[in-house]
Amino acid sequence: MNRQIIMKSRPVGAPQPHNFELREVPIPELAAGEVRVENHWLSLDPYMRGRMSDAPSYSAPLEVGDVMEGETVGRVQASRDARFAEGEWVVGRGRWQTHSVLEAGQCRKLSPQIPKPSLALGILGMPGVTAYVGLKHIGQPKPGETVVVAAASGAVGAVVGQLARQAGCRVVGIAGTEAKCQYVSETLGFDVCLNHRAPDLARQLKDACPEGIDVYFENVSGPVFEAVFPLLNDFARIPVCGLISFYNATGLPSGPDRTPLLMRAILTKRLTFRGFIVTDFLADWPEALQALEAAFVAGTLQYQEHVLSGLEAAPQGLIDLLEGKNFGKVVVDLKPA
Amino acid sequence: MNRQIIMKSRPVGAPQPHNFELREVPIPELAAGEVRVENHWLSLDPYMRGRMSDAPSYSAPLEVGDVMEGETVGRVQASRDARFAEGEWVVGRGRWQTHSVLEAGQCRKLSPQIPKPSLALGILGMPGVTAYVGLKHIGQPKPGETVVVAAASGAVGAVVGQLARQAGCRVVGIAGTEAKCQYVSETLGFDVCLNHRAPDLARQLKDACPEGIDVYFENVSGPVFEAVFPLLNDFARIPVCGLISFYNATGLPSGPDRTPLLMRAILTKRLTFRGFIVTDFLADWPEALQALEAAFVAGTLQYQEHVLSGLEAAPQGLIDLLEGKNFGKVVVDLKPA
């Protein structure tokens, strides 16, 4: 049998456990061109909150009763495609379930060099490539510039900051606990990391960025963006990758309407705001994965996983992720010992 | 004697005649490397409102008592620079006055082909180049795309729309009177032009853009942007060139704060908002001027001037320009017959 978690009801505000339901269904038959995968790892990522909403977005929303969406890593159990053999490790959009039937063309084989399969859901997968392409194509950091990274200990932010350091930038992280800040500055090697819960964040950030901010990698928005905004330099670039502080919002903040301030800054400082998702840059994936894997194997990129145990842990894992309670890339071990 | 108009006081909200003062002063002596120009034409442009404000911007604000800023075209009366001879036509930042002493390196000679000197303040000068570089580098229109141009009969918008048509786009203008709309669609050849004072602008714009909007050339913001915003396609580009609807504002609009809607659209539609001013693209000026001049001389670019008579007309001319009362590029004839 296949165990899976569906969206039982659409959340209003923060998702609650009752919005999810575990069920068991038969494993479907394979058609030509498909593979069946026994999933070992499931990735939890902030974008999943967007899929649970029916607001327009870049992907169709989940319908009530659909299996929750998500990337998985597992081993091929059966294949009706010549490119895949039984026992091979693959990554794909297998959703929140123990077994997935996937189109072979939508699966990617894991590099044989990968030290641990779950890495293909993080630094050596979608979040790592997101960091790589967003920084390269939109952030465009130049040596000596100042790069600020929100959600700095998260799956994307940790990679962004390390790559920006390697590009010769001053890198300032923003994270949500003292322990995260210590990890970001000491282990990841950012120049500074600030706690976004500090009441004087704006002043601390100003002190940490004496020459202003040239790149702000936006994962968060809300109060973090408020602190960043006045420090943006002329010609600053803002890759808009995520807005986690908004995802559980049920309405707009109270007034006045500050949109004119943003537009005016875009004009007078000649800012670039550009949103992206990683699949906009499919042509960059091979280069990005190769660079990330080489750096990781060489020990020049650090990475931390937050491991949850068993499929049942996924709903609370997503709820916690949206509140910043994780520490590192969240993956669910679907076959815990 | 040199007649000039100074900023007598800083306006609050819309400028008033009493914020300006005409005065007469001696013409200063020339130093080495300078030229003295008898100005024939003065350009009035929306950015001048920004210079009258002390809010931070890309240029230092005017101080009370300063001569109003602006571009001028005139003839060299005296030169202490080998590059310029008496009688030559030049364009420079001569300010609101009949005579200017300018650094020679900051002046540009008019092309001998130019049919009328005042064109160097409009389609064959700063506004024309603004349209050219903003569309080329940020708008990046592709054949078959839909381009919406605010302030479509104005100095910049008229050129943007004609260039976008020549690039094979569907072009929808937005202007402020029926007469302007008729001119934009019939003379400038836009596919459609809508009156932004129409109460159902949003619906009209939706009808005029059945395939959505790929490029929105922002000169205006405010209600025009509100109508454009829901129609923006994935990967739309928004060159932010001006925000004339905000320039006289004394505060922010009432709430709620709609910034999250803008950020969310940037992310989910992968929009690019990028502010610019024409001097960010100095390397493009020769190419742009050559292309614009060739097209104008060949009759493939149309252009309309709104001519005011005499320096004394400039203050009311700027007041009117900020309210959209002009029809075409506003220039002041400093030596009316």
Side-chain angles (χ1 to χ4, degrees):
Chain A
M1 293 297 278
N2 182 24
R3 300 170 65 237
Q4 57 186 202
I5 292 175
I6 62 163
M7 181 173 79
K8 193 181 178 194
S9 56
R10 225 179 263 297
V12 177
Q16 306 291 331
H18 66 76
N19 298 128
F20 304 88
E21 187 170 74
L22 182 70
R23 69 180 183 190
E24 296 203 356
V25 295
I27 297 171
E29 292 301 305
L30 277 186
E34 292 181 339
V35 294
R36 186 171 72 232
V37 182
E38 183 186 30
N39 297 321
H40 287 236
W41 298 93
L42 165 67
S43 182
L44 297 183
D45 299 281
Y47 77 82
M48 294 168 173
R49 178 64 185 87
R51 295 293 187 289
M52 300 182 81
S53 160
D54 55 4
S57 188
Y58 47 80
S59 292
L62 291 171
E63 298 300 329
V64 169
D66 283 350
V67 182
M68 287 289 297
E69 234 188 74
E71 278 205 311
T72 48
V73 164
R75 298 184 79 167
V76 175
Q77 272 192 331
S79 173
R80 290 192 60 191
D81 186 281
R83 289 168 289 182
F84 291 91
E86 205 181 305
E88 282 189 304
W89 285 96
V90 295
V91 58
R93 302 199 66 80
R95 298 178 174 254
W96 293 24
Q97 54 193 349
T98 56
H99 298 76
S100 307
V101 170
L102 296 166
E103 283 180 51
Q106 301 297 314
C107 295
R108 173 167 66 83
K109 290 189 197 192
L110 264 58
S111 159
Q113 288 207 306
I114 208 165
K116 188 184 168 206
S118 61
L119 297 173
L121 300 174
I123 192 167
L124 305 184
M126 185 273 282
V129 177
T130 299
Y132 187 95
V133 299
L135 194 64
K136 175 183 172 184
H137 288 290
I138 307 176
Q140 302 179 21
K142 291 160 200 65
E145 288 191 330
T146 297
V147 176
V148 172
V149 185
S153 68
V156 174
V159 180
V160 169
Q162 292 179 88
L163 293 177
R165 279 281 295 168
Q166 289 168 18
C169 296
R170 175 173 176 82
V171 178
V172 177
I174 301 176
T177 66
E178 292 303 321
K180 288 180 184 179
C181 288
Q182 188 175 353
Y183 165 74
V184 167
S185 53
E186 292 182 8
T187 304
L188 301 184
F190 288 30
D191 295 278
V192 184
C193 188
L194 306 176
N195 187 333
H196 70 71
R197 296 178 211 274
D200 62 342
L201 174 65
R203 191 195 55 75
Q204 286 190 33
L205 187 61
K206 189 172 182 186
D207 291 347
C209 303
E211 296 179 44
I213 297 171
D214 301 294
V215 179
Y216 171 56
F217 200 99
E218 174 67 293
N219 293 315
V220 169
S221 208
V224 174
F225 181 70
E226 299 298 318
V228 164
F229 182 62
L231 303 175
L232 291 169
N233 287 332
D234 285 358
F235 307 108
R237 288 82 65 194
I238 298 93
V240 180
C241 176
L243 302 165
I244 197 168
S245 75
F246 297 158
Y247 291 169
N248 285 337
T250 53
L252 292 170
S254 60
D257 182 2
R258 305 181 73 221
T259 314
L261 294 179
L262 181 56
M263 293 297 288
R264 185 181 149 78
I266 290 173
L267 175 58
T268 61
K269 294 186 176 181
R270 289 91 98 202
L271 307 176
T272 299
F273 282 78
R274 182 174 162 195
F276 76 105
I277 60 174
V278 66
T279 47
D280 298 337
F281 295 95
L282 285 179
D284 285 87
W285 278 67
E287 169 195 312
L289 286 172
Q290 190 169 32
L292 293 165
E293 186 175 301
F296 184 76
V297 170
T300 57
L301 274 182
Q302 303 302 314
Y303 180 65
Q304 174 149 320
E305 282 185 342
H306 182 111
V307 179
L308 304 176
S309 185
L311 180 65
E312 299 80 351
Q316 191 63 45
L318 179 60
I319 292 166
D320 288 348
L321 171 61
L322 292 166
E323 293 177 2
K325 292 184 180 166
N326 60 304
F327 189 163
K329 172 71 191 91
V330 182
V331 289
V332 181
D333 183 351
L334 297 175
K335 291 173 69 72
Chain B
M1 293 297 280
N2 182 24
R3 299 169 67 235
Q4 57 187 202
I5 292 176
I6 62 163
M7 181 173 80
K8 193 180 178 195
S9 56
R10 224 180 264 297
V12 177
Q16 306 290 332
H18 66 74
N19 298 129
F20 304 87
E21 188 171 72
L22 182 70
R23 69 180 182 190
E24 296 204 357
V25 295
I27 297 171
E29 292 300 306
L30 276 186
E34 291 181 340
V35 294
R36 187 172 72 231
V37 182
E38 183 186 28
N39 297 321
H40 287 236
W41 298 92
L42 165 67
S43 181
L44 297 183
D45 300 281
Y47 77 82
M48 294 168 173
R49 178 64 184 86
R51 295 292 187 290
M52 299 182 82
S53 159
D54 55 4
S57 187
Y58 47 81
S59 293
L62 291 171
E63 298 300 329
V64 169
D66 283 350
V67 182
M68 287 290 297
E69 234 188 75
E71 277 205 311
T72 48
V73 165
R75 298 184 79 166
V76 175
Q77 272 193 332
S79 172
R80 290 193 60 191
D81 186 282
R83 290 169 288 183
F84 291 91
E86 206 181 306
E88 284 189 303
W89 284 96
V90 296
V91 57
R93 301 199 66 79
R95 297 178 175 255
W96 292 24
Q97 54 193 350
T98 56
H99 298 76
S100 307
V101 169
L102 296 167
E103 283 180 51
Q106 301 298 314
C107 294
R108 175 167 64 83
K109 290 188 198 191
L110 263 57
S111 159
Q113 288 206 305
I114 208 165
K116 188 185 168 206
S118 61
L119 296 173
L121 300 174
I123 192 168
L124 305 185
M126 185 272 283
V129 177
T130 298
Y132 187 95
V133 298
L135 194 64
K136 175 182 171 184
H137 289 290
I138 307 176
Q140 300 178 20
K142 292 160 199 64
E145 288 191 329
T146 297
V147 176
V148 172
V149 185
S153 68
V156 174
V159 180
V160 169
Q162 292 179 88
L163 293 177
R165 278 281 295 169
Q166 289 168 17
C169 297
R170 175 173 176 81
V171 178
V172 177
I174 300 176
T177 67
E178 293 303 321
K180 287 180 185 180
C181 289
Q182 189 176 350
Y183 165 74
V184 167
S185 54
E186 293 182 8
T187 304
L188 301 184
F190 288 31
D191 295 278
V192 184
C193 188
L194 305 176
N195 187 334
H196 70 71
R197 297 178 210 272
D200 61 342
L201 175 65
R203 189 194 55 73
Q204 285 190 33
L205 188 62
K206 188 172 182 185
D207 291 346
C209 303
E211 297 181 41
I213 297 171
D214 302 294
V215 179
Y216 171 56
F217 200 98
E218 174 67 293
N219 293 315
V220 169
S221 207
V224 174
F225 181 71
E226 299 298 319
V228 164
F229 182 63
L231 303 176
L232 290 170
N233 286 334
D234 284 358
F235 306 108
R237 288 82 65 194
I238 298 93
V240 180
C241 176
L243 302 165
I244 197 168
S245 75
F246 297 158
Y247 291 169
N248 285 337
T250 54
L252 293 170
S254 61
D257 181 2
R258 306 181 72 220
T259 314
L261 294 180
L262 181 57
M263 293 296 289
R264 185 180 149 77
I266 290 173
L267 175 59
T268 61
K269 294 186 176 181
R270 290 91 98 201
L271 307 176
T272 299
F273 281 78
R274 182 173 163 198
F276 75 105
I277 60 174
V278 67
T279 47
D280 298 337
F281 294 95
L282 284 180
D284 285 87
W285 278 67
E287 168 195 314
L289 287 173
Q290 191 169 30
L292 293 165
E293 186 176 299
F296 184 77
V297 170
T300 57
L301 276 182
Q302 303 302 314
Y303 180 65
Q304 174 150 321
E305 282 185 342
H306 182 110
V307 179
L308 304 176
S309 186
L311 181 64
E312 299 80 352
Q316 191 62 46
L318 179 59
I319 292 166
D320 288 348
L321 171 62
L322 291 167
E323 293 178 3
K325 292 184 181 166
N326 60 304
F327 189 164
K329 171 70 189 92
V330 183
V331 289
V332 181
D333 183 350
L334 298 174
K335 291 172 69 73

